[in-house]
Amino acid sequence: MAAAQGRLSDGAGGMDDAKEGEREAMETAPLPFRAAVEALRSARLRPQIEIDPTKPPRRLAPFAYALEATVVDGDEDLADGRLILLHDPAGHDAWQGSFRLVTLVRAELEPEMAADPLLPDVCWSWLTGALQARGLSYGEPSGTVTRASSHYFGGLSERPPTSQIEIRASWTPREGVGGVPDTASHLASWCDLLAQIAGLPPAPPTEATVVTLPQRRGPNSR
């Protein structure tokens, strides 16, 4: 797969806004949400995936936390995505639970892959397969897989056509002890999806566990 175009960040101040919003939200957040967020903040899967907090949406749930990730190979960005953790202590009928994970993942495609009529089904199976491969319990999955092509004309006519795949999805992580879902493992499975859509080989067994997240650059530094 070719490099994904652009980044998901909303602006140069996005990192500062995310940190400030995180501090404010965590001060008033219930304990299960704080524990779920702490697991996300302290974990990442493989070194090719760079993860940073980003500003979460404010209207989807009473409490929200968001991460932005990029799959990097040298100086090339292969894919990017955003993972949002939502929490409604009162529960949500559509979620069938009090937590919900929402994601956007995208990457550019090679022309021969973009032409495959089964590509959307395959990409959706990557998402569900990543969750199942780690033995995760989840419910109410939903989403879309979108394939888009761009053709250039006029002054841009020398550019070759490009194609992009985009996965938008959400699912309900099952809650464990204390009403806290295993968000670290869900993050790990999401990283597996990112790596797969970026065309990376499977991670060696030594990389198949969640490790502490070091301080990374902001999402607009590259």
Short mmCIF file of all heavy atoms in Angstrom, two decimals, residues 124-178:
data_model
loop_
_atom_site.label_atom_id
_atom_site.label_comp_id
_atom_site.label_asym_id
_atom_site.label_seq_id
_atom_site.Cartn_x
_atom_site.Cartn_y
_atom_site.Cartn_z
N TRP A 124 -13.29 -5.22 6.22
CA TRP A 124 -14.13 -5.39 7.41
C TRP A 124 -13.71 -6.65 8.18
O TRP A 124 -13.69 -6.64 9.42
CB TRP A 124 -15.59 -5.47 7.01
CG TRP A 124 -16.49 -5.57 8.22
CD1 TRP A 124 -17.14 -6.68 8.68
CD2 TRP A 124 -16.83 -4.50 9.13
NE1 TRP A 124 -17.84 -6.38 9.82
CE2 TRP A 124 -17.67 -5.05 10.11
CE3 TRP A 124 -16.48 -3.16 9.18
CZ2 TRP A 124 -18.19 -4.29 11.17
CZ3 TRP A 124 -16.99 -2.40 10.23
CH2 TRP A 124 -17.83 -2.95 11.20
N SER A 125 -13.34 -7.70 7.47
CA SER A 125 -12.89 -8.91 8.15
C SER A 125 -11.57 -8.69 8.88
O SER A 125 -11.30 -9.35 9.88
CB SER A 125 -12.74 -10.07 7.14
OG SER A 125 -11.61 -9.88 6.31
N TRP A 126 -10.75 -7.75 8.41
CA TRP A 126 -9.53 -7.41 9.12
C TRP A 126 -9.85 -6.85 10.50
O TRP A 126 -9.17 -7.15 11.48
CB TRP A 126 -8.70 -6.41 8.33
CG TRP A 126 -8.04 -6.99 7.12
CD1 TRP A 126 -7.90 -8.30 6.79
CD2 TRP A 126 -7.40 -6.25 6.07
NE1 TRP A 126 -7.24 -8.44 5.60
CE2 TRP A 126 -6.91 -7.19 5.13
CE3 TRP A 126 -7.20 -4.90 5.82
CZ2 TRP A 126 -6.24 -6.82 3.98
CZ3 TRP A 126 -6.52 -4.52 4.67
CH2 TRP A 126 -6.05 -5.47 3.76
N LEU A 127 -10.87 -6.00 10.56
CA LEU A 127 -11.26 -5.40 11.84
C LEU A 127 -11.77 -6.48 12.80
O LEU A 127 -11.28 -6.60 13.93
CB LEU A 127 -12.34 -4.34 11.62
CG LEU A 127 -13.03 -3.81 12.89
CD1 LEU A 127 -12.03 -3.11 13.79
CD2 LEU A 127 -14.18 -2.88 12.52
N THR A 128 -12.76 -7.24 12.38
CA THR A 128 -13.33 -8.25 13.26
C THR A 128 -12.30 -9.34 13.57
O THR A 128 -12.24 -9.86 14.69
CB THR A 128 -14.58 -8.87 12.64
OG1 THR A 128 -14.26 -9.43 11.36
CG2 THR A 128 -15.67 -7.82 12.46
N GLY A 129 -11.47 -9.67 12.59
CA GLY A 129 -10.45 -10.68 12.81
C GLY A 129 -9.40 -10.24 13.82
O GLY A 129 -8.91 -11.05 14.61
N ALA A 130 -9.06 -8.95 13.81
CA ALA A 130 -8.08 -8.43 14.78
C ALA A 130 -8.60 -8.55 16.20
O ALA A 130 -7.85 -8.87 17.13
CB ALA A 130 -7.74 -6.97 14.45
N LEU A 131 -9.89 -8.28 16.38
CA LEU A 131 -10.50 -8.40 17.71
C LEU A 131 -10.57 -9.86 18.14
O LEU A 131 -10.23 -10.22 19.27
CB LEU A 131 -11.89 -7.79 17.71
CG LEU A 131 -11.96 -6.27 17.49
CD1 LEU A 131 -13.39 -5.84 17.21
CD2 LEU A 131 -11.41 -5.53 18.70
N GLN A 132 -10.98 -10.72 17.22
CA GLN A 132 -11.14 -12.13 17.55
C GLN A 132 -9.79 -12.81 17.79
O GLN A 132 -9.69 -13.72 18.62
CB GLN A 132 -11.91 -12.83 16.43
CG GLN A 132 -13.35 -12.36 16.32
CD GLN A 132 -14.00 -12.76 15.01
OE1 GLN A 132 -13.41 -13.46 14.19
NE2 GLN A 132 -15.23 -12.30 14.79
N ALA A 133 -8.75 -12.37 17.08
CA ALA A 133 -7.44 -12.99 17.22
C ALA A 133 -6.88 -12.81 18.62
O ALA A 133 -6.09 -13.63 19.09
CB ALA A 133 -6.47 -12.41 16.19
N ARG A 134 -7.30 -11.75 19.30
CA ARG A 134 -6.84 -11.51 20.67
C ARG A 134 -7.87 -11.97 21.70
O ARG A 134 -7.75 -11.66 22.89
CB ARG A 134 -6.50 -10.03 20.86
CG ARG A 134 -5.26 -9.62 20.08
CD ARG A 134 -4.84 -8.19 20.32
NE ARG A 134 -3.63 -7.87 19.58
CZ ARG A 134 -2.39 -8.06 20.04
NH1 ARG A 134 -2.21 -8.55 21.25
NH2 ARG A 134 -1.34 -7.75 19.29
N GLY A 135 -8.87 -12.70 21.25
CA GLY A 135 -9.85 -13.28 22.16
C GLY A 135 -10.71 -12.25 22.86
O GLY A 135 -11.18 -12.49 23.98
N LEU A 136 -10.95 -11.11 22.22
CA LEU A 136 -11.70 -10.04 22.86
C LEU A 136 -13.20 -10.25 22.72
O LEU A 136 -13.69 -10.66 21.67
CB LEU A 136 -11.31 -8.69 22.26
CG LEU A 136 -9.87 -8.25 22.57
CD1 LEU A 136 -9.50 -7.02 21.76
CD2 LEU A 136 -9.71 -7.98 24.05
N SER A 137 -13.92 -9.92 23.78
CA SER A 137 -15.37 -10.00 23.76
C SER A 137 -15.93 -8.62 23.46
O SER A 137 -15.56 -7.64 24.12
CB SER A 137 -15.87 -10.49 25.13
OG SER A 137 -17.28 -10.57 25.15
N TYR A 138 -16.79 -8.56 22.46
CA TYR A 138 -17.35 -7.27 22.06
C TYR A 138 -18.73 -7.49 21.46
O TYR A 138 -19.13 -8.62 21.14
CB TYR A 138 -16.44 -6.57 21.04
CG TYR A 138 -16.35 -7.29 19.71
CD1 TYR A 138 -17.13 -6.91 18.63
CD2 TYR A 138 -15.48 -8.37 19.53
CE1 TYR A 138 -17.05 -7.57 17.40
CE2 TYR A 138 -15.39 -9.03 18.32
CZ TYR A 138 -16.18 -8.63 17.26
OH TYR A 138 -16.11 -9.29 16.05
N GLY A 139 -19.49 -6.41 21.33
CA GLY A 139 -20.83 -6.52 20.79
C GLY A 139 -21.20 -5.33 19.94
O GLY A 139 -20.49 -4.32 19.89
N GLU A 140 -22.34 -5.45 19.27
CA GLU A 140 -22.94 -4.37 18.48
C GLU A 140 -21.95 -3.72 17.50
O GLU A 140 -21.88 -2.49 17.41
CB GLU A 140 -23.53 -3.29 19.40
CG GLU A 140 -24.48 -3.82 20.46
CD GLU A 140 -25.63 -4.62 19.87
OE1 GLU A 140 -26.18 -4.19 18.84
OE2 GLU A 140 -25.96 -5.69 20.44
N PRO A 141 -21.18 -4.51 16.73
CA PRO A 141 -20.27 -3.89 15.76
C PRO A 141 -21.04 -3.29 14.60
O PRO A 141 -22.06 -3.84 14.15
CB PRO A 141 -19.40 -5.06 15.30
CG PRO A 141 -20.29 -6.26 15.45
CD PRO A 141 -21.13 -5.98 16.66
N SER A 142 -20.59 -2.15 14.12
CA SER A 142 -21.20 -1.53 12.95
C SER A 142 -20.17 -0.63 12.28
O SER A 142 -19.19 -0.22 12.90
CB SER A 142 -22.44 -0.70 13.34
OG SER A 142 -22.08 0.37 14.19
N GLY A 143 -20.40 -0.35 10.99
CA GLY A 143 -19.46 0.53 10.32
C GLY A 143 -19.58 0.50 8.82
O GLY A 143 -20.49 -0.13 8.26
N THR A 144 -18.67 1.19 8.17
CA THR A 144 -18.63 1.28 6.72
C THR A 144 -17.20 1.12 6.24
O THR A 144 -16.24 1.46 6.94
CB THR A 144 -19.18 2.62 6.21
OG1 THR A 144 -18.34 3.69 6.71
CG2 THR A 144 -20.61 2.86 6.67
N VAL A 145 -17.07 0.59 5.02
CA VAL A 145 -15.78 0.56 4.33
C VAL A 145 -15.97 1.31 3.02
O VAL A 145 -16.83 0.95 2.20
CB VAL A 145 -15.30 -0.88 4.07
CG1 VAL A 145 -13.99 -0.86 3.28
CG2 VAL A 145 -15.14 -1.64 5.38
N THR A 146 -15.20 2.37 2.83
CA THR A 146 -15.35 3.23 1.66
C THR A 146 -14.08 3.19 0.82
O THR A 146 -12.97 3.35 1.33
CB THR A 146 -15.62 4.68 2.09
OG1 THR A 146 -16.78 4.72 2.92
CG2 THR A 146 -15.84 5.57 0.88
N ARG A 147 -14.28 2.99 -0.48
CA ARG A 147 -13.17 2.99 -1.43
C ARG A 147 -13.36 4.18 -2.35
O ARG A 147 -14.42 4.36 -2.96
CB ARG A 147 -13.17 1.68 -2.20
CG ARG A 147 -12.15 1.59 -3.31
CD ARG A 147 -12.11 0.18 -3.88
NE ARG A 147 -13.45 -0.38 -4.06
CZ ARG A 147 -13.68 -1.65 -4.36
NH1 ARG A 147 -12.68 -2.49 -4.47
NH2 ARG A 147 -14.91 -2.10 -4.53
N ALA A 148 -12.34 5.04 -2.45
CA ALA A 148 -12.45 6.25 -3.27
C ALA A 148 -11.25 6.35 -4.21
O ALA A 148 -10.14 5.94 -3.87
CB ALA A 148 -12.52 7.49 -2.39
N SER A 149 -11.49 6.89 -5.40
CA SER A 149 -10.42 7.08 -6.39
C SER A 149 -10.35 8.54 -6.81
O SER A 149 -11.38 9.22 -6.89
CB SER A 149 -10.67 6.21 -7.64
OG SER A 149 -10.67 4.83 -7.29
N SER A 150 -9.15 9.01 -7.08
CA SER A 150 -8.93 10.38 -7.55
C SER A 150 -8.19 10.34 -8.88
O SER A 150 -7.17 9.65 -9.01
CB SER A 150 -8.11 11.18 -6.52
OG SER A 150 -8.81 11.30 -5.29
N HIS A 151 -8.71 11.11 -9.84
CA HIS A 151 -8.06 11.24 -11.14
C HIS A 151 -7.75 12.73 -11.36
O HIS A 151 -8.55 13.59 -10.99
CB HIS A 151 -8.97 10.73 -12.25
CG HIS A 151 -9.27 9.26 -12.13
ND1 HIS A 151 -8.60 8.29 -12.85
CD2 HIS A 151 -10.17 8.59 -11.36
CE1 HIS A 151 -9.07 7.10 -12.53
NE2 HIS A 151 -10.03 7.26 -11.63
N TYR A 152 -6.59 13.00 -11.92
CA TYR A 152 -6.10 14.37 -12.00
C TYR A 152 -6.15 14.88 -13.44
O TYR A 152 -5.86 14.15 -14.39
CB TYR A 152 -4.67 14.44 -11.45
CG TYR A 152 -4.58 14.00 -10.00
CD1 TYR A 152 -4.29 12.68 -9.67
CD2 TYR A 152 -4.82 14.91 -8.97
CE1 TYR A 152 -4.23 12.27 -8.35
CE2 TYR A 152 -4.76 14.50 -7.65
CZ TYR A 152 -4.47 13.19 -7.34
OH TYR A 152 -4.42 12.79 -6.03
N PHE A 153 -6.47 16.18 -13.58
CA PHE A 153 -6.65 16.79 -14.90
C PHE A 153 -5.98 18.17 -14.94
O PHE A 153 -5.62 18.73 -13.91
CB PHE A 153 -8.14 16.91 -15.23
CG PHE A 153 -8.87 15.60 -15.24
CD1 PHE A 153 -9.49 15.11 -14.09
CD2 PHE A 153 -8.91 14.83 -16.39
CE1 PHE A 153 -10.15 13.90 -14.10
CE2 PHE A 153 -9.57 13.60 -16.40
CZ PHE A 153 -10.19 13.14 -15.26
N GLY A 154 -5.87 18.71 -16.14
CA GLY A 154 -5.30 20.03 -16.31
C GLY A 154 -3.87 20.08 -15.85
O GLY A 154 -3.03 19.25 -16.23
N GLY A 155 -3.57 21.06 -15.01
CA GLY A 155 -2.21 21.22 -14.51
C GLY A 155 -1.74 20.08 -13.64
O GLY A 155 -0.54 19.96 -13.37
N LEU A 156 -2.66 19.22 -13.20
CA LEU A 156 -2.30 18.07 -12.36
C LEU A 156 -2.32 16.76 -13.12
O LEU A 156 -2.20 15.69 -12.54
CB LEU A 156 -3.27 17.97 -11.17
CG LEU A 156 -3.35 19.18 -10.24
CD1 LEU A 156 -4.41 18.94 -9.18
CD2 LEU A 156 -2.00 19.47 -9.60
N SER A 157 -2.47 16.83 -14.45
CA SER A 157 -2.70 15.63 -15.23
C SER A 157 -1.53 14.65 -15.23
O SER A 157 -1.70 13.48 -15.58
CB SER A 157 -3.03 16.01 -16.68
OG SER A 157 -1.95 16.76 -17.26
N GLU A 158 -0.32 15.12 -14.86
CA GLU A 158 0.82 14.21 -14.83
C GLU A 158 0.81 13.29 -13.62
O GLU A 158 1.53 12.29 -13.58
CB GLU A 158 2.12 15.02 -14.86
CG GLU A 158 2.34 15.78 -16.17
CD GLU A 158 3.67 16.48 -16.19
OE1 GLU A 158 4.41 16.40 -15.18
OE2 GLU A 158 4.00 17.12 -17.22
N ARG A 159 -0.02 13.60 -12.64
CA ARG A 159 -0.10 12.75 -11.46
C ARG A 159 -0.86 11.46 -11.78
O ARG A 159 -1.88 11.50 -12.46
CB ARG A 159 -0.81 13.47 -10.31
CG ARG A 159 -0.07 14.69 -9.78
CD ARG A 159 -0.78 15.20 -8.54
NE ARG A 159 -0.17 16.40 -8.01
CZ ARG A 159 -0.56 17.02 -6.90
NH1 ARG A 159 -1.59 16.54 -6.22
NH2 ARG A 159 0.05 18.12 -6.50
N PRO A 160 -0.37 10.35 -11.29
CA PRO A 160 -1.10 9.09 -11.52
C PRO A 160 -2.36 9.04 -10.66
O PRO A 160 -2.42 9.66 -9.60
CB PRO A 160 -0.09 8.03 -11.10
CG PRO A 160 0.78 8.72 -10.08
CD PRO A 160 0.89 10.15 -10.54
N PRO A 161 -3.38 8.32 -11.08
CA PRO A 161 -4.58 8.15 -10.26
C PRO A 161 -4.23 7.53 -8.91
O PRO A 161 -3.27 6.76 -8.79
CB PRO A 161 -5.46 7.22 -11.09
CG PRO A 161 -4.96 7.36 -12.49
CD PRO A 161 -3.49 7.61 -12.37
N THR A 162 -4.98 7.88 -7.90
CA THR A 162 -4.78 7.33 -6.57
C THR A 162 -6.09 6.76 -6.04
O THR A 162 -7.17 7.19 -6.43
CB THR A 162 -4.26 8.39 -5.57
OG1 THR A 162 -5.22 9.46 -5.48
CG2 THR A 162 -2.92 8.94 -6.01
N SER A 163 -5.97 5.78 -5.17
CA SER A 163 -7.13 5.18 -4.52
C SER A 163 -6.88 5.09 -3.03
O SER A 163 -5.74 4.87 -2.59
CB SER A 163 -7.41 3.78 -5.08
OG SER A 163 -7.73 3.84 -6.45
N GLN A 164 -7.95 5.23 -2.27
CA GLN A 164 -7.84 5.19 -0.82
C GLN A 164 -8.96 4.34 -0.23
O GLN A 164 -10.09 4.36 -0.72
CB GLN A 164 -7.91 6.61 -0.24
CG GLN A 164 -7.63 6.69 1.26
CD GLN A 164 -7.63 8.12 1.77
OE1 GLN A 164 -8.69 8.72 1.97
NE2 GLN A 164 -6.44 8.70 1.95
N ILE A 165 -8.63 3.60 0.81
CA ILE A 165 -9.63 2.84 1.55
C ILE A 165 -9.80 3.49 2.91
O ILE A 165 -8.84 3.98 3.51
CB ILE A 165 -9.20 1.35 1.70
CG1 ILE A 165 -10.40 0.49 2.11
CG2 ILE A 165 -8.04 1.19 2.63
CD1 ILE A 165 -11.39 0.23 1.01
N GLU A 166 -11.03 3.51 3.39
CA GLU A 166 -11.33 4.12 4.68
C GLU A 166 -12.30 3.23 5.44
O GLU A 166 -13.35 2.84 4.91
CB GLU A 166 -11.94 5.51 4.47
CG GLU A 166 -12.28 6.24 5.75
CD GLU A 166 -12.88 7.60 5.47
OE1 GLU A 166 -12.11 8.56 5.26
OE2 GLU A 166 -14.13 7.71 5.44
N ILE A 167 -11.95 2.89 6.67
CA ILE A 167 -12.81 2.09 7.53
C ILE A 167 -13.31 2.97 8.66
O ILE A 167 -12.51 3.54 9.42
CB ILE A 167 -12.07 0.87 8.11
CG1 ILE A 167 -11.50 -0.01 7.00
CG2 ILE A 167 -12.99 0.06 9.02
CD1 ILE A 167 -10.58 -1.11 7.51
N ARG A 168 -14.62 3.09 8.77
CA ARG A 168 -15.25 3.76 9.92
C ARG A 168 -16.06 2.70 10.66
O ARG A 168 -16.90 2.05 10.05
CB ARG A 168 -16.15 4.91 9.46
CG ARG A 168 -15.39 6.07 8.83
CD ARG A 168 -16.36 7.17 8.39
NE ARG A 168 -15.65 8.28 7.76
CZ ARG A 168 -15.25 9.36 8.42
NH1 ARG A 168 -15.52 9.48 9.71
NH2 ARG A 168 -14.61 10.33 7.80
N ALA A 169 -15.80 2.54 11.94
CA ALA A 169 -16.45 1.47 12.66
C ALA A 169 -16.57 1.80 14.14
O ALA A 169 -15.89 2.70 14.66
CB ALA A 169 -15.66 0.16 12.50
N SER A 170 -17.47 1.09 14.80
CA SER A 170 -17.61 1.20 16.25
C SER A 170 -18.06 -0.14 16.81
O SER A 170 -18.68 -0.94 16.11
CB SER A 170 -18.59 2.31 16.63
OG SER A 170 -19.90 2.03 16.14
N TRP A 171 -17.72 -0.38 18.06
CA TRP A 171 -18.11 -1.61 18.73
C TRP A 171 -18.12 -1.37 20.24
O TRP A 171 -17.53 -0.41 20.74
CB TRP A 171 -17.19 -2.77 18.35
CG TRP A 171 -15.76 -2.62 18.80
CD1 TRP A 171 -15.19 -3.11 19.95
CD2 TRP A 171 -14.70 -1.94 18.10
NE1 TRP A 171 -13.86 -2.78 20.01
CE2 TRP A 171 -13.54 -2.06 18.89
CE3 TRP A 171 -14.63 -1.24 16.89
CZ2 TRP A 171 -12.31 -1.51 18.50
CZ3 TRP A 171 -13.42 -0.69 16.51
CH2 TRP A 171 -12.28 -0.83 17.31
N THR A 172 -18.80 -2.24 20.96
CA THR A 172 -18.92 -2.14 22.41
C THR A 172 -17.98 -3.14 23.06
O THR A 172 -18.19 -4.35 22.95
CB THR A 172 -20.36 -2.42 22.86
OG1 THR A 172 -21.23 -1.44 22.29
CG2 THR A 172 -20.48 -2.36 24.38
N PRO A 173 -16.93 -2.67 23.75
CA PRO A 173 -16.06 -3.59 24.47
C PRO A 173 -16.77 -4.10 25.73
O PRO A 173 -17.35 -3.30 26.47
CB PRO A 173 -14.84 -2.72 24.82
CG PRO A 173 -15.39 -1.33 24.92
CD PRO A 173 -16.51 -1.26 23.92
N ARG A 174 -16.75 -5.40 25.95
CA ARG A 174 -17.39 -5.94 27.13
C ARG A 174 -16.64 -5.54 28.40
O ARG A 174 -15.41 -5.54 28.43
CB ARG A 174 -17.49 -7.46 27.04
CG ARG A 174 -18.38 -7.95 25.90
CD ARG A 174 -19.75 -7.31 25.94
NE ARG A 174 -20.64 -7.85 24.90
CZ ARG A 174 -21.70 -7.23 24.44
NH1 ARG A 174 -22.01 -6.03 24.89
NH2 ARG A 174 -22.45 -7.78 23.51
N GLU A 175 -17.40 -5.18 29.42
CA GLU A 175 -16.81 -4.69 30.65
C GLU A 175 -16.37 -5.84 31.54
O GLU A 175 -17.03 -6.87 31.62
CB GLU A 175 -17.82 -3.80 31.37
CG GLU A 175 -18.19 -2.57 30.55
CD GLU A 175 -19.44 -1.87 31.07
OE1 GLU A 175 -19.83 -2.15 32.22
OE2 GLU A 175 -20.03 -1.07 30.32
N GLY A 176 -15.24 -5.62 32.22
CA GLY A 176 -14.70 -6.63 33.11
C GLY A 176 -14.87 -6.25 34.56
O GLY A 176 -15.88 -5.65 34.96
N VAL A 177 -13.86 -6.55 35.36
CA VAL A 177 -13.90 -6.27 36.79
C VAL A 177 -14.06 -4.77 37.04
O VAL A 177 -13.36 -3.96 36.43
CB VAL A 177 -12.62 -6.79 37.47
CG1 VAL A 177 -12.61 -6.45 38.96
CG2 VAL A 177 -12.49 -8.29 37.27
N GLY A 178 -14.99 -4.42 37.91
CA GLY A 178 -15.20 -3.01 38.22
C GLY A 178 -15.87 -2.24 37.11
O GLY A 178 -15.86 -1.01 37.13
#
